Structure formats: C-alpha cells, structure tokens
Amino acid sequence: PQGVLSFRCARNDMRQPIHAMGLFLSVLEERVEKEEQKIIVQKIQRSSDALGSLLDSLLDISKLDAGVIKVVPETFLLNSLFDALNNEFQAVAKEKNIQIKFANTKLCVNSDYLIIERITRNLISNAIRYTESGRILVGCRRYHGQALVAVYDTGIGVPENKMIV
C-alpha cells in the first residue's frame, strides 16, 4: 500500500541525520585531546544513542498502530525469554562491572514473544547503558491478572519531571 511506502521513506529520512551525527561524533572524539572535552563528546554520543533508541521505539509503535507489524500471540514461559536475554547480556554487563540478575519465574503469558523480547531487550540495554556500576534486576510478577515485566537498575534514572505516568 502507498501509505506503507511513504512511512518507510519518512522513517529512513528521520534516521539518516542521527546516523550521520553518530559518525561525526566518532571522528570528533578521535580528534579531541583534552580529557574534559572528551567527556563532553561522550555525553553527546550517549544523548545521540538515546535519541536513536527513542526514534526506533516511536517507529515501532507507529508500525503497530499502522498494522505493519502483525501481533502473533503465543503461550510461552517468561523464564525462557529471561534465559535467552541473560545469555545475551551477561557478558556485556560483566564488561561494565555491573551485576545483572534475572529472577526465576514460572509465569506463562499469551503474547507476541518477539515484541515482548524486543521491549525487554531495549529496557535492559538502556539499563546497562545508563548504569556506571551496580546492579540490574529483571523480573516479573502478577498484577491484576496480568504479568508485569520490570527492569530495575542502579543507574542514573529518569528525572521525575521527565517521567510519563
């Protein structure tokens, strides 16, 4: 459909400046000599990465709303998802000297495995990115007849005035 083609064009147009900014920042970081300037460039790089991640999330939501992504519900154990993500992130967390733990669960859910995996992966990735040292806990619990998956970390967090509740 024509609307999907237009959406894909717009998506690529939005990502291109962010990718270009990342390339320019990499070059700048190599050329900067003073430590305090390097710190500023690294902070800009983290902001650029966060912007890219936010854009990806918004585009995913747009795809869901537009019906481009088809939700395929299936019943699966959350523990199987946690095991896969634990294997993926354990080495990355260890490299940053962060302890990451996945709570064992017997909860089964009926949802789209790939969508839940992507959302959870994004939350864990952000927790690792914004945690300098400390711990990350990934778990779930029953909440009003549903499963609530949560990622807790000792990172910098989101200022209260920036939270959307």
Side-chain angles (χ1 to χ4, degrees):
Q2 190 171 2
V4 173
L5 293 174
S6 298
F7 175 76
R8 287 184 181 150
C9 267
R11 178 185 68 199
N12 291 334
D13 289 346
M14 289 188 292
R15 283 192 177 144
Q16 194 265 340
I18 293 172
H19 288 298
M21 184 170 49
L23 292 172
F24 290 134
L25 284 168
S26 295
V27 171
L28 180 61
E29 188 173 20
E30 290 174 7
R31 294 182 180 181
V32 169
E33 294 178 10
K34 293 182 180 176
E35 189 60 33
E36 58 200 30
Q37 293 172 334
K38 286 184 185 233
I39 291 170
I40 292 170
V41 172
Q42 289 169 352
K43 287 181 181 181
I44 295 170
Q45 182 66 54
R46 283 196 302 266
S47 295
S48 175
D49 292 345
L51 180 61
S53 180
L54 178 61
L55 178 61
D56 288 344
S57 297
L58 290 173
L59 291 172
D60 286 345
I61 291 168
S62 296
K63 287 179 194 176
L64 279 170
D65 288 345
V68 175
I69 294 177
K70 298 292 182 210
V71 176
V72 182
E74 62 181 290
T75 301
F76 62 93
L77 284 166
L78 278 173
N79 218 46
S80 64
L81 171 67
F82 288 177
D83 286 344
L85 293 171
N86 185 32
N87 290 334
E88 181 179 336
F89 284 107
Q90 202 59 242
V92 177
K94 187 175 183 177
E95 190 174 294
K96 278 194 76 178
N97 201 28
I98 299 169
Q99 179 189 8
I100 186 167
K101 182 178 182 196
F102 289 76
N104 196 25
T105 180
K106 293 182 181 185
L107 280 179
C108 272
V109 295
N110 187 9
S111 188
D112 188 299
Y113 182 92
L114 294 176
I115 292 173
I116 300 300
E117 178 187 46
R118 179 138 191 221
I119 292 168
T120 309
R121 177 182 286 114
N122 187 36
L123 291 170
I124 295 167
S125 180
N126 285 338
I128 290 173
R129 182 181 297 127
Y130 296 108
T131 301
E132 294 299 321
S133 65
R135 298 176 310 280
I136 297 171
L137 173 64
V138 181
C140 67
R141 64 183 175 101
R142 293 178 196 275
Y143 185 75
H144 296 289
Q146 297 181 346
L148 174 67
V149 175
V151 177
Y152 301 97
D153 62 75
T154 57
I156 60 174
V158 178
E160 197 168 318
N161 64 347
K162 302 283 185 193
M163 289 185 185
I164 300 172
V165 181

